[in-house]
Amino acid sequence: MYVDGFVAAVPAEKKEAYRKVAAEGAAMLKEGEVVVFSWIEYPNKAVRDAVQKRMMSDPRMEALGADMPFDGARMIVGGFEGHLDES
């Protein structure tokens, strides 16, 4: 499994410090914005890379990208290899 996304484990004693940082980050959101977390799951990173390459070379992506409902420059992306699946 390979998933694009981000999750952080925050030590309990640093929870308030995290809330402060999160509040400062939230202040960077424009009025009326909300944070959305989404992911795409792949069987492995090689498949993800192949899909990404095909997707980015598809001419339909240019049209889709021109009409995105969010500011892509402010999007944060990360990739993670799965180690445990409790489905």
Side-chain angles (χ1 to χ4, degrees):
M1 169 179 55
Y2 189 86
V3 177
D4 283 339
F6 176 79
V7 177
V10 178
E13 68 273 8
K14 294 188 177 187
K15 188 174 181 179
E16 288 306 314
Y18 173 80
R19 284 184 188 182
K20 181 180 180 208
V21 169
E24 290 170 5
M28 293 180 204
L29 290 169
K30 295 177 183 173
E31 178 136 354
E33 287 184 328
V34 296
V35 175
V36 176
F37 177 77
S38 63
W39 68 91
I40 302 171
E41 187 174 319
Y42 306 92
N44 56 54
K45 188 175 186 308
V47 170
R48 181 266 187 196
D49 291 347
V51 168
Q52 192 77 359
K53 184 176 181 180
R54 284 194 315 261
M55 184 176 72
M56 296 313 286
S57 66
D58 187 322
R60 295 174 292 180
M61 282 301 293
E62 187 174 342
L64 182 64
D67 196 28
M68 280 290 176
F70 60 90
D71 180 358
R74 295 172 62 219
M75 185 167 86
I76 301 169
V77 178
F80 303 89
E81 183 176 327
H83 295 283
L84 178 65
D85 186 354
E86 292 286 328
S87 309

Short mmCIF file of all heavy atoms in Angstrom, two decimals, residues 43-71:
data_model
loop_
_atom_site.label_atom_id
_atom_site.label_comp_id
_atom_site.label_asym_id
_atom_site.label_seq_id
_atom_site.Cartn_x
_atom_site.Cartn_y
_atom_site.Cartn_z
N PRO A 43 -1.43 0.14 -4.54
CA PRO A 43 -0.85 -1.12 -4.05
C PRO A 43 0.61 -0.96 -3.62
O PRO A 43 1.08 -1.64 -2.72
CB PRO A 43 -0.93 -2.07 -5.23
CG PRO A 43 -1.77 -1.41 -6.26
CD PRO A 43 -1.88 0.04 -5.91
N ASN A 44 1.35 -0.01 -4.25
CA ASN A 44 2.74 0.24 -3.89
C ASN A 44 3.19 1.54 -4.55
O ASN A 44 2.47 2.13 -5.36
CB ASN A 44 3.66 -0.93 -4.29
CG ASN A 44 3.54 -1.25 -5.76
OD1 ASN A 44 3.72 -0.38 -6.62
ND2 ASN A 44 3.23 -2.51 -6.08
N LYS A 45 4.40 1.99 -4.21
CA LYS A 45 4.89 3.28 -4.72
C LYS A 45 5.16 3.24 -6.23
O LYS A 45 4.94 4.23 -6.92
CB LYS A 45 6.16 3.70 -3.98
CG LYS A 45 6.59 5.12 -4.34
CD LYS A 45 7.77 5.56 -3.52
CE LYS A 45 8.15 7.01 -3.73
NZ LYS A 45 8.34 7.42 -5.08
N ALA A 46 5.59 2.09 -6.75
CA ALA A 46 5.85 1.99 -8.19
C ALA A 46 4.57 2.24 -8.98
O ALA A 46 4.57 2.95 -9.99
CB ALA A 46 6.45 0.63 -8.53
N VAL A 47 3.46 1.67 -8.53
CA VAL A 47 2.17 1.90 -9.19
C VAL A 47 1.78 3.36 -9.05
O VAL A 47 1.33 3.99 -10.00
CB VAL A 47 1.08 0.97 -8.61
CG1 VAL A 47 -0.30 1.35 -9.10
CG2 VAL A 47 1.38 -0.49 -8.95
N ARG A 48 1.97 3.93 -7.86
CA ARG A 48 1.65 5.34 -7.64
C ARG A 48 2.43 6.22 -8.61
O ARG A 48 1.89 7.14 -9.22
CB ARG A 48 1.96 5.72 -6.21
CG ARG A 48 1.63 7.17 -5.86
CD ARG A 48 2.84 8.02 -6.03
NE ARG A 48 2.58 9.38 -5.55
CZ ARG A 48 3.34 10.39 -5.85
NH1 ARG A 48 4.39 10.24 -6.63
NH2 ARG A 48 3.07 11.58 -5.40
N ASP A 49 3.73 5.96 -8.74
CA ASP A 49 4.57 6.77 -9.63
C ASP A 49 4.11 6.65 -11.08
O ASP A 49 4.07 7.64 -11.81
CB ASP A 49 6.03 6.36 -9.50
CG ASP A 49 6.62 6.75 -8.15
OD1 ASP A 49 5.99 7.54 -7.41
OD2 ASP A 49 7.73 6.26 -7.83
N ALA A 50 3.74 5.43 -11.51
CA ALA A 50 3.27 5.22 -12.89
C ALA A 50 1.95 5.95 -13.12
O ALA A 50 1.76 6.60 -14.16
CB ALA A 50 3.12 3.73 -13.17
N VAL A 51 1.04 5.87 -12.16
CA VAL A 51 -0.25 6.56 -12.28
C VAL A 51 -0.03 8.06 -12.33
O VAL A 51 -0.61 8.76 -13.16
CB VAL A 51 -1.18 6.17 -11.10
CG1 VAL A 51 -2.39 7.09 -11.04
CG2 VAL A 51 -1.61 4.72 -11.20
N GLN A 52 0.83 8.56 -11.45
CA GLN A 52 1.12 10.00 -11.41
C GLN A 52 1.68 10.49 -12.74
O GLN A 52 1.28 11.54 -13.25
CB GLN A 52 2.10 10.28 -10.26
CG GLN A 52 2.28 11.71 -9.92
CD GLN A 52 1.13 12.28 -9.11
OE1 GLN A 52 0.16 11.61 -8.80
NE2 GLN A 52 1.21 13.54 -8.79
N LYS A 53 2.59 9.72 -13.33
CA LYS A 53 3.20 10.10 -14.61
C LYS A 53 2.14 10.16 -15.71
O LYS A 53 2.08 11.12 -16.49
CB LYS A 53 4.29 9.10 -14.97
CG LYS A 53 5.05 9.47 -16.23
CD LYS A 53 6.18 8.49 -16.49
CE LYS A 53 6.93 8.89 -17.75
NZ LYS A 53 8.03 7.97 -18.04
N ARG A 54 1.29 9.13 -15.77
CA ARG A 54 0.21 9.12 -16.79
C ARG A 54 -0.77 10.26 -16.56
O ARG A 54 -1.19 10.94 -17.50
CB ARG A 54 -0.53 7.79 -16.77
CG ARG A 54 0.22 6.65 -17.42
CD ARG A 54 -0.65 5.43 -17.68
NE ARG A 54 -1.50 5.07 -16.58
CZ ARG A 54 -1.24 4.11 -15.67
NH1 ARG A 54 -0.13 3.43 -15.74
NH2 ARG A 54 -2.09 3.85 -14.72
N MET A 55 -1.13 10.48 -15.31
CA MET A 55 -2.09 11.53 -14.99
C MET A 55 -1.55 12.90 -15.38
O MET A 55 -2.26 13.71 -15.99
CB MET A 55 -2.42 11.49 -13.49
CG MET A 55 -3.49 12.48 -13.09
SD MET A 55 -3.92 12.34 -11.35
CE MET A 55 -2.48 13.04 -10.58
N MET A 56 -0.29 13.18 -15.05
CA MET A 56 0.28 14.50 -15.34
C MET A 56 0.50 14.72 -16.84
O MET A 56 0.60 15.86 -17.27
CB MET A 56 1.57 14.69 -14.56
CG MET A 56 1.35 14.70 -13.04
SD MET A 56 -0.03 15.73 -12.48
CE MET A 56 0.67 17.35 -12.69
N SER A 57 0.56 13.65 -17.63
CA SER A 57 0.72 13.83 -19.07
C SER A 57 -0.62 13.81 -19.81
O SER A 57 -0.66 14.02 -21.01
CB SER A 57 1.65 12.73 -19.63
OG SER A 57 1.03 11.46 -19.51
N ASP A 58 -1.71 13.61 -19.09
CA ASP A 58 -3.04 13.60 -19.70
C ASP A 58 -3.49 15.04 -19.95
O ASP A 58 -3.54 15.84 -19.01
CB ASP A 58 -4.01 12.90 -18.75
CG ASP A 58 -5.39 12.67 -19.36
OD1 ASP A 58 -5.88 13.55 -20.10
OD2 ASP A 58 -5.98 11.62 -19.10
N PRO A 59 -3.81 15.40 -21.20
CA PRO A 59 -4.21 16.79 -21.50
C PRO A 59 -5.44 17.25 -20.72
O PRO A 59 -5.62 18.45 -20.49
CB PRO A 59 -4.49 16.79 -23.00
CG PRO A 59 -4.30 15.41 -23.48
CD PRO A 59 -3.80 14.55 -22.36
N ARG A 60 -6.26 16.34 -20.28
CA ARG A 60 -7.45 16.72 -19.49
C ARG A 60 -7.06 17.33 -18.15
O ARG A 60 -7.81 18.11 -17.57
CB ARG A 60 -8.36 15.52 -19.27
CG ARG A 60 -8.95 14.98 -20.58
CD ARG A 60 -9.73 13.71 -20.36
NE ARG A 60 -8.78 12.65 -19.97
CZ ARG A 60 -9.15 11.40 -19.69
NH1 ARG A 60 -10.40 11.05 -19.72
NH2 ARG A 60 -8.24 10.50 -19.37
N MET A 61 -5.86 16.98 -17.64
CA MET A 61 -5.40 17.52 -16.36
C MET A 61 -5.16 19.02 -16.44
O MET A 61 -5.39 19.74 -15.46
CB MET A 61 -4.13 16.81 -15.90
CG MET A 61 -4.36 15.44 -15.31
SD MET A 61 -5.46 15.47 -13.87
CE MET A 61 -4.44 16.36 -12.70
N GLU A 62 -4.71 19.50 -17.58
CA GLU A 62 -4.48 20.93 -17.73
C GLU A 62 -5.79 21.70 -17.57
O GLU A 62 -5.85 22.70 -16.85
CB GLU A 62 -3.85 21.26 -19.07
CG GLU A 62 -3.43 22.70 -19.19
CD GLU A 62 -2.67 23.00 -20.47
OE1 GLU A 62 -2.16 22.07 -21.12
OE2 GLU A 62 -2.60 24.19 -20.82
N ALA A 63 -6.84 21.21 -18.21
CA ALA A 63 -8.15 21.86 -18.09
C ALA A 63 -8.68 21.74 -16.66
O ALA A 63 -9.22 22.70 -16.11
CB ALA A 63 -9.14 21.24 -19.08
N LEU A 64 -8.49 20.57 -16.05
CA LEU A 64 -8.94 20.36 -14.68
C LEU A 64 -8.18 21.29 -13.74
O LEU A 64 -8.76 21.91 -12.85
CB LEU A 64 -8.74 18.90 -14.27
CG LEU A 64 -9.21 18.51 -12.88
CD1 LEU A 64 -10.71 18.67 -12.75
CD2 LEU A 64 -8.80 17.08 -12.58
N GLY A 65 -6.87 21.39 -13.96
CA GLY A 65 -6.03 22.25 -13.12
C GLY A 65 -6.40 23.72 -13.22
O GLY A 65 -6.24 24.47 -12.26
N ALA A 66 -6.89 24.14 -14.36
CA ALA A 66 -7.27 25.54 -14.55
C ALA A 66 -8.53 25.90 -13.77
O ALA A 66 -8.81 27.07 -13.55
CB ALA A 66 -7.48 25.82 -16.03
N ASP A 67 -9.28 24.88 -13.35
CA ASP A 67 -10.56 25.12 -12.66
C ASP A 67 -10.59 24.49 -11.27
O ASP A 67 -11.63 24.08 -10.80
CB ASP A 67 -11.71 24.59 -13.53
CG ASP A 67 -13.06 25.13 -13.09
OD1 ASP A 67 -13.11 26.25 -12.55
OD2 ASP A 67 -14.06 24.40 -13.27
N MET A 68 -9.42 24.39 -10.61
CA MET A 68 -9.36 23.79 -9.28
C MET A 68 -10.14 24.65 -8.29
O MET A 68 -10.04 25.88 -8.33
CB MET A 68 -7.91 23.65 -8.80
CG MET A 68 -7.19 22.49 -9.36
SD MET A 68 -7.87 20.98 -8.66
CE MET A 68 -6.93 19.79 -9.58
N PRO A 69 -10.85 24.02 -7.36
CA PRO A 69 -11.63 24.80 -6.38
C PRO A 69 -10.79 25.22 -5.18
O PRO A 69 -11.33 25.54 -4.13
CB PRO A 69 -12.72 23.81 -5.96
CG PRO A 69 -12.06 22.47 -6.11
CD PRO A 69 -11.15 22.60 -7.30
N PHE A 70 -9.46 25.21 -5.30
CA PHE A 70 -8.59 25.62 -4.21
C PHE A 70 -7.27 26.12 -4.78
O PHE A 70 -6.98 25.94 -5.94
CB PHE A 70 -8.34 24.45 -3.23
CG PHE A 70 -7.68 23.26 -3.87
CD1 PHE A 70 -6.31 23.15 -3.91
CD2 PHE A 70 -8.44 22.25 -4.44
CE1 PHE A 70 -5.69 22.05 -4.51
CE2 PHE A 70 -7.84 21.16 -5.03
CZ PHE A 70 -6.47 21.06 -5.07
N ASP A 71 -6.46 26.73 -3.92
CA ASP A 71 -5.16 27.27 -4.31
C ASP A 71 -4.13 26.15 -4.19
O ASP A 71 -3.67 25.83 -3.09
CB ASP A 71 -4.81 28.45 -3.40
CG ASP A 71 -3.47 29.09 -3.73
OD1 ASP A 71 -2.78 28.60 -4.65
OD2 ASP A 71 -3.12 30.08 -3.07
#
